[in-house]
Amino acid sequence: MAAAGAHRPGPLKQQNKAHKGGKHSGSSQRRAGGRVPVKAQPRRRLRDLSRVDRRHQALQLRRQRKEAVLAEKRSLGSRDGPPHLVVVVLLHSRAAAHDTLRLLQSQDSALVRADEGRAGGFALLCPRLKQRWRFVPAPAGDLHAVLDLAKVADSLLFILDPVDGWDSAGEYCLSCLFAQGLPSYALAVPGGTDLPPKKRIDARKKLTKAIEKRFPEAKLFPLNTEQESSLLLRHLSSQKQRHLAFRDRRAHLLAHAAEFVPGQESPLLGTLKVSGFVRGQTLNVNSLVHIVGHGDFQLSQVDAPPDPLSLNPRVVKGQKRSQDMEVQDDSGNGPDEMEEDVKVLMKADPSKQESLQSEVVPDPMEGEQTWPTEEELQEAEDSLKANRRVVKVPKGTSKYQAAWIVDDEEEGSEKDDDDEDDDDMDEDLLEEAVSQEGESSEEEAGEEESETMTVSECLRDDQYDEKMEEDEQMLERYKQERMDEMFPDEVDTPRDVPARVRFQKYRGLKSFRTSPWDPKENLPRDYARIFQFQDFSRTRKHLFRQIEKEETEGASVGWYVTLHICNVPVSVMESFKEGKPLVLFSLLPHEQKMSVLNFLVRRHPGNSEPVRAKEELIFHCGFRRFRASPLFSQHTSADKHKLERFLRLDAALVVTVYAPITFPPASVLLFKQRSNGMHDLIATGSLLSVDPDRIVIKRLVLSGHPFKIFTKTAVVRYMFFNRDDVMWFKPVELRTKWGRRGHIKEPLGTHGHMKCHFDGQLKSQDTVLLNLYKRVFPKWTYDPHVPEPVPWVRSESALPEREVEME
């Protein structure tokens, strides 16, 4: 009874910890044998500061940044820095540019000097404020000139209309400038005094509301009196400068004057002497320079002429330059130094000068150690033929069939394969040519029948018919783009050519994402002409670190210099005489060499016309401008990227071309030239990488339809049309549009029917697909010469409708 009534512990009984014998400090010291462990203090604790020290460090960093910003503001437009370059851009056809420039020139105690290089440009010197400006009006309607001037401008002065602000041409200009990179800017509104006071206030409110969307936190400056113009100048000189990365890391220069000296061998090539103020970085005579729109060139020497925009001409600035750099001139520094000959700052060193070589000259015998004998060549050819027969013959075929298949495959030439690769484009071109011939014959017949019409009406009808022809071509492209969206990558199996011959360069993949693909496999011959980095990102970081830390010998920022550029065509000087800007950029190492560039772009919302791959487009990449026919591919994180046949409207794509190396960051603008010469902005983005190993895969989808459906098997037809093709593509996995997976079991008959096994029962409305893949490469269509676009005022799409009707 006592045992039955004994107390039993419940679930809440106290649980004491067990004694950990042998793990206390005494036993551990005995096991260590007197050895004391090293205390490793982490580096993070060494860097930890107290609260007062952290606040003091943050205060010092803020002071350094503030001093750097103030020093930049003081140097820009000062006596030691370059003049403040202001580009005047008209955003409306009714904007009063002449009155704006006249008001800016009418400043008290300021000297005005006309610009020799550009009509309407002038320099404004104010010794009292110790400031100097250079105003350059951008030519109205010239897109290339506006973009080139914005590349080197310190500030942009937008001239608006007091009622409408900007028109469609101004909107197009702003879209291009924002995509390229906008420097500091100011908004000026001249005129509007002739409006009634009430309408003037309403127009001001409407304009302010429209500007808030495009220019947040921007201030409108009325420009009707001298006092308002002085306020605008003060704002331009005191506002914070916005930096563009692609120009801050390179020395750049806007030509103030130029002179062409013809060469002895040919008058079409010679030495171009360009004078201007150095901006951005120090200019080295041994580096290459790029004249925007004309190409890369070498320098022979750099001179130091007197500064034409000096605030105090009596100050001898040559003495300071001679202290900073050894001037290669034996003349003494006297008080009349400004009247002496131009001093030579530096001359190019042939041993240190960058080379103009842009391509690698491929050696066909590279990698060969000895010259093979005739017997070795014959043995290699025999073994190659034997290997071809072993690889290309399907299982279960006789010797006669095997020989016939090999001969049939060998008859297909590379040229035919390349043509078949672009079969869709060839069919489009043939259809367009047939439609053009048919319409031209109809036009000729119409002209013969309409003999009673006047000459002007006939011309109008011809123009109208041309527009209709373009509309029909555009309609055909819209249909192709729509078909590609509905049935992506699907093609019809040819009836006249065996599928194993037509698609012999394609392969099947178990998984597009995980299956391996060697980036060095079957490269085209153009890859032997390009340069490739072992680690491009590491080279880029090393170069940028050198620019930031190391001091380069050369012409410093703010110096007025004359560059002697060698082997320049006379067309460069002719374009400068026509009033177009002459912009120079110094190149970083390797930037003259050709490679494969990848750009990440997105369609511009103002353009929805279909753009097909391998169409010629115009690129504005950083400071370069060129033409090329690119490839479009998806932007993913995988190692393989699927080719896109059209530039999508709803997704960001990667554009791949052969082009000179450019170190990112750099903006890119893609234009398409119309038949009338107008350039349409179709996409904007940035430079993604310089990587020839980026794999772009073209996918072809062969489709078939289930003829008889069983539990897990089905008879499929219309995918192939002969028995041998079914046997050839038997190892490739099948899939359906409704998610089934399967494979080919055996052919049925001789007309392409095949028995397939799937992981489930098919539906009667399902479609069986077979995916084939092939790596594609861009075409070598790089052309540095871009034709000049037609001005905006000549294009109907760049003007409001009422202005077109008035014309």
Side-chain angles (χ1 to χ4, degrees):
M1 294 294 294
H7 174 72
R8 295 181 179 179
L12 303 179
K13 180 179 179 296
Q14 179 179 353
Q15 298 288 339
N16 296 327
K17 292 183 178 181
H19 177 66
K20 299 179 180 180
K23 294 185 179 181
H24 50 83
S25 59
S27 62
S28 62
Q29 288 178 2
R30 286 193 297 270
R31 286 196 304 270
R35 295 188 299 270
V36 179
V38 179
K39 294 183 179 180
Q41 190 172 6
R43 296 183 179 179
R44 186 178 302 173
R45 294 184 180 179
L46 296 176
R47 290 197 304 264
D48 286 346
L49 302 175
S50 63
R51 183 179 180 183
V52 178
D53 293 337
R54 289 197 304 269
R55 293 180 61 182
H56 182 62
Q57 187 179 23
L59 181 62
Q60 286 180 334
L61 292 175
R62 284 197 299 270
R63 285 178 179 175
Q64 290 177 2
R65 296 193 187 100
K66 186 177 180 180
E67 290 175 358
V69 172
L70 291 176
E72 183 183 6
K73 286 184 179 180
R74 295 190 188 102
S75 63
L76 184 61
S78 63
R79 180 171 59 89
D80 297 329
H84 194 134
L85 181 58
V86 181
V87 176
V88 183
V89 182
L90 300 182
L91 296 182
H92 202 283
S93 58
R94 295 195 301 266
H98 181 71
D99 297 340
T100 302
L101 298 178
R102 182 179 52 80
L103 280 174
L104 293 173
Q105 294 177 10
S106 61
Q107 296 294 319
D108 297 336
S109 66
L111 303 176
V112 179
R113 296 184 181 179
D115 194 350
E116 300 176 359
R118 174 164 295 278
F122 64 93
L124 193 65
L125 308 177
C126 188
R128 183 173 60 86
L129 299 177
K130 298 181 180 180
Q131 286 287 326
R132 52 181 179 171
W133 294 271
R134 184 187 175 192
F135 291 88
V136 179
D142 193 349
L143 177 64
H144 288 177
V146 174
L147 293 178
D148 292 346
L149 288 172
K151 289 180 175 70
V152 294
D154 296 318
S155 300
L156 296 180
L157 179 59
F158 294 115
I159 309 299
L160 309 178
D161 182 68
V163 179
D164 296 333
W166 55 79
D167 54 9
S168 57
E171 177 72 21
Y172 181 61
C173 176
L174 287 177
S175 299
C176 298
L177 289 174
F178 272 94
Q180 179 180 265
L182 198 65
S184 303
Y185 59 88
L187 306 176
V189 186
T193 55
D194 54 344
L195 297 175
K198 186 176 181 181
K199 290 187 177 180
R200 194 185 309 170
I201 295 174
D202 294 341
R204 178 83 176 191
K205 291 181 179 179
K206 181 181 178 182
L207 186 59
T208 305
K209 188 175 181 180
I211 284 175
E212 288 179 355
K213 298 180 180 179
R214 269 287 189 183
F215 305 96
E217 301 179 1
K219 183 180 179 182
L220 279 175
F221 288 89
L223 203 59
N224 298 314
T225 61
E226 295 182 6
Q227 184 178 4
E228 292 173 346
S229 64
S230 61
L231 289 176
L232 177 61
L233 286 177
R234 182 178 299 177
H235 173 73
L236 288 173
S237 60
S238 61
Q239 69 177 347
K240 184 180 179 181
Q241 294 296 312
R242 303 178 66 178
H243 295 276
L244 300 180
F246 74 89
R247 75 177 186 185
D248 288 343
R249 292 189 173 96
R250 300 169 179 86
H252 52 277
L253 179 145
L254 177 63
H256 186 271
E259 179 186 357
F260 183 77
V261 180
Q264 298 179 357
E265 298 180 357
S266 174
L268 300 178
L269 290 178
T271 301
L272 183 65
K273 299 180 181 179
V274 180
S275 301
F277 292 91
V278 180
R279 303 172 184 272
Q281 294 289 335
T282 303
L283 180 62
N284 190 1
V285 69
N286 294 320
S287 62
L288 300 178
V289 294
H290 175 78
I291 302 179
V292 177
H294 298 282
D296 304 335
F297 304 95
Q298 287 181 333
L299 296 176
S300 60
Q301 69 180 38
V302 178
D303 299 341
D307 190 351
L309 304 181
S310 176
L311 289 173
N312 189 5
R314 297 179 181 178
V315 178
V316 181
K317 298 181 70 175
Q319 293 180 356
K320 183 179 180 181
R321 292 175 180 168
S322 63
Q323 294 175 2
D324 295 341
M325 178 172 293
E326 296 181 1
V327 180
Q328 299 178 6
D329 194 357
D330 297 330
S331 59
N333 295 331
D336 298 330
E337 189 176 6
M338 299 297 290
E339 300 177 359
E340 294 179 359
D341 296 335
V342 176
K343 296 183 179 297
V344 179
L345 285 180
M346 63 198 84
K347 289 188 177 181
D349 186 1
S351 61
K352 299 180 181 180
Q353 198 171 21
E354 290 282 346
S355 173
L356 283 172
Q357 182 183 3
S358 61
E359 301 178 15
V360 178
V361 179
D363 185 6
M365 296 304 298
E366 185 178 3
E368 292 289 340
Q369 301 296 326
T370 58
W371 187 262
T373 62
E374 294 182 359
E375 297 178 357
E376 293 174 346
L377 290 174
Q378 187 64 30
E379 291 177 1
E381 187 176 357
D382 296 340
S383 63
L384 185 59
K385 289 182 180 179
N387 290 334
R388 282 182 180 175
R389 286 175 182 165
V390 170
V391 172
K392 302 219 170 182
V393 172
K395 294 181 179 180
T397 57
S398 63
K399 294 182 180 180
Y400 174 77
Q401 291 175 338
W404 177 78
I405 290 176
V406 171
D407 293 337
D408 188 81
E409 289 177 355
E410 290 176 354
E411 287 177 359
S413 61
E414 269 190 18
K415 185 176 181 181
D416 296 336
D417 296 333
D418 294 336
D419 294 338
E420 289 167 354
D421 186 26
D422 300 331
D423 51 353
D424 299 335
M425 299 180 67
D426 293 339
E427 291 175 2
D428 299 338
L429 294 175
L430 288 173
E431 292 176 0
E432 292 175 4
V434 171
S435 62
Q436 290 176 3
E437 292 177 0
E439 290 179 356
S440 62
S441 61
E442 292 176 3
E443 290 174 4
E444 292 175 359
E447 290 176 359
E448 292 176 358
E449 295 174 0
S450 59
E451 293 178 354
T452 59
M453 299 176 67
T454 60
V455 177
S456 60
E457 290 176 353
C458 289
L459 291 175
R460 291 176 184 174
D461 289 342
D462 292 342
Q463 294 176 358
Y464 185 78
D465 291 339
E466 290 178 0
K467 293 178 182 178
M468 291 301 296
E469 181 180 344
E470 293 179 0
D471 290 345
E472 290 181 359
Q473 295 177 6
M474 190 60 64
L475 176 61
E476 186 64 26
R477 292 191 176 186
Y478 275 118
K479 289 182 179 179
Q480 295 173 6
E481 186 180 24
R482 180 62 177 165
M483 289 296 293
D484 186 64
E485 290 179 0
M486 295 175 61
F487 307 101
D489 303 324
E490 289 192 30
V491 296
D492 296 330
T493 306
R495 301 291 299 272
D496 54 345
V497 181
R500 61 189 182 279
V501 177
R502 168 63 181 86
F503 307 119
Q504 62 182 346
K505 289 189 175 182
Y506 291 81
R507 68 179 71 173
L509 295 179
K510 179 70 175 178
S511 171
F512 181 80
R513 184 179 62 87
T514 59
S515 296
W517 197 302
D518 188 5
K520 304 296 184 183
E521 177 186 0
N522 294 333
L523 297 178
R525 291 190 176 182
D526 289 336
Y527 264 51
R529 302 165 58 185
I530 65 173
F531 290 85
Q532 184 175 2
F533 295 95
Q534 187 174 4
D535 190 347
F536 178 75
S537 60
R538 181 180 179 182
T539 305
R540 172 179 170 271
K541 291 179 181 178
H542 178 67
L543 282 177
F544 289 173
R545 196 179 299 115
Q546 283 184 341
I547 294 173
E548 294 175 358
K549 295 182 179 180
E550 299 181 4
E551 295 183 0
T552 307
E553 295 183 357
S556 300
V557 178
W559 289 9
Y560 184 79
V561 296
T562 299
L563 307 180
H564 294 249
I565 310 175
C566 305
N567 299 325
V568 179
V570 70
S571 59
V572 181
M573 188 64 192
E574 292 175 354
S575 65
F576 180 72
K577 290 180 179 179
E578 293 174 0
K580 297 177 182 177
L582 189 59
V583 179
L584 281 75
F585 275 86
S586 67
L587 298 181
L588 299 178
H590 314 296
E591 283 195 329
Q592 79 279 10
K593 301 173 182 177
M594 296 290 293
S595 187
V596 179
L597 272 63
N598 303 303
F599 305 98
L600 180 61
V601 302
R602 186 179 289 274
R603 284 297 296 265
H604 187 257
N607 187 286
S608 59
E609 295 182 0
V611 180
R612 191 160 190 170
K614 298 183 182 179
E615 284 189 26
E616 186 179 68
L617 301 179
I618 298 172
F619 290 76
H620 286 244
C621 175
F623 54 88
R624 290 189 184 274
R625 186 164 62 237
F626 57 89
R627 291 185 293 175
S629 300
L631 293 179
F632 304 143
S633 59
Q634 294 180 353
H635 178 52
T636 60
S637 59
D639 59 342
K640 295 181 291 296
H641 312 273
K642 192 179 82 67
L643 176 77
E644 291 289 345
R645 287 176 168 81
F646 289 89
L647 190 60
R648 300 294 182 188
L649 293 171
D650 55 348
L653 297 180
V654 176
V655 178
T656 304
V657 291
Y658 290 110
I661 293 170
T662 303
F663 289 99
S667 60
V668 61
L669 286 76
L670 268 64
F671 294 87
K672 185 178 179 181
Q673 186 172 1
R674 293 186 186 176
S675 58
N676 60 358
M678 180 70 183
H679 290 182
D680 290 338
L681 180 64
I682 61 172
T684 59
S686 60
L687 178 60
L688 179 64
S689 63
V690 180
D691 185 14
D693 288 341
R694 190 177 191 273
I695 302 176
V696 180
I697 302 296
K698 180 179 180 180
R699 183 182 69 175
L700 285 185
V701 179
L702 304 181
S703 59
H705 302 276
F707 177 53
K708 295 180 181 180
I709 300 175
F710 302 99
T711 305
K712 285 192 176 183
T713 60
V715 178
V716 180
R717 61 180 177 178
Y718 300 148
M719 182 177 290
F720 303 109
F721 298 100
N722 59 72
R723 184 184 184 91
D724 296 329
D725 287 343
V726 177
M727 295 298 297
W728 181 266
F729 291 100
K730 188 177 179 180
V732 184
E733 186 182 16
L734 301 176
R735 68 177 183 89
T736 68
K737 289 189 175 181
W738 286 25
R740 294 299 181 189
R741 299 276 177 173
H743 61 274
I744 301 172
K745 291 186 67 176
E746 58 181 354
L748 299 177
T750 59
H751 289 77
H753 289 210
M754 55 187 182
K755 186 177 181 181
C756 304
H757 184 272
F758 296 92
D759 56 357
Q761 188 173 12
L762 296 186
K763 301 293 183 180
S764 59
Q765 63 268 31
D766 203 351
T767 305
V768 182
L769 304 176
L770 184 142
N771 295 335
L772 299 175
Y773 303 94
K774 183 186 74 168
R775 184 179 179 183
V776 292
F777 303 91
K779 292 184 178 180
W780 194 287
T781 55
Y782 171 77
D783 186 4
H785 303 290
V786 178
E788 293 294 333
V790 174
W792 303 319
V793 293
R794 298 179 186 174
S795 175
E796 297 180 2
S797 64
L799 291 174
E801 294 182 359
R802 61 175 183 271
E803 296 185 9
V804 176
E805 294 174 357
M806 290 173 62
E807 291 182 357

